[in-house]
């Protein structure tokens, strides 16, 4: 999982919001998606293990957001 340089104002410009189910489908296909866990923390290259660890941190209250995004094709 790698932190991106996507800022809070750029999220809606460079990607569109998807559901967690859609993100899991993309993960299985090996397609890119972003995981946003805090207003300024958007991650890419998320693996299944990364997702499980992030979910635990969310449940513990470390992360305050749980949003998934798909990059917009140009």
């Amino acid at each position: 999982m790698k932190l991106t340089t996507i800022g809070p104002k750029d999220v809606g410009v460079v990607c569109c919001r998807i559901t967690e189910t859609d993100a899991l489908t993309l993960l299985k296909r090996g397609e890119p998606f972003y995981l946003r866990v805090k207003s300024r923390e958007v991650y890419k290259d998320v693996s299944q293990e990364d997702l499980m660890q992030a979910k635990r941190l969310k449940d513990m209250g470390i992360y305050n957001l749980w949003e998934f995004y798909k990059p917009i094709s140009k």
Side-chain angles (χ1 to χ4, degrees):
M1 192 160 80
K2 297 178 183 176
L3 190 59
T4 67
T5 58
I6 299 172
K9 294 179 182 178
D10 299 328
V11 171
V13 176
V14 298
C15 49
C16 61
R17 192 162 181 187
I18 59 173
T19 65
E20 183 174 354
T21 304
D22 292 337
L24 291 172
T25 301
L26 292 175
L27 179 63
K28 288 178 185 176
R29 290 184 194 160
E31 296 180 33
F33 69 92
Y34 300 120
L35 170 61
R36 185 177 187 188
V37 294
K38 291 186 175 184
S39 64
R40 297 185 180 269
E41 290 185 24
V42 181
Y43 291 95
K44 65 179 181 176
D45 299 333
V46 180
S47 69
Q48 182 71 36
E49 294 80 21
D50 293 333
L51 200 56
M52 290 171 41
Q53 179 64 19
K55 182 80 165 182
R56 282 192 288 274
L57 293 172
K58 166 73 170 114
D59 292 342
M60 292 170 55
I62 305 292
Y63 293 148
N64 61 353
L65 287 176
W66 190 249
E67 300 174 350
F68 298 89
Y69 295 88
K70 181 178 180 179
I72 296 174
S73 300
K74 292 185 178 185

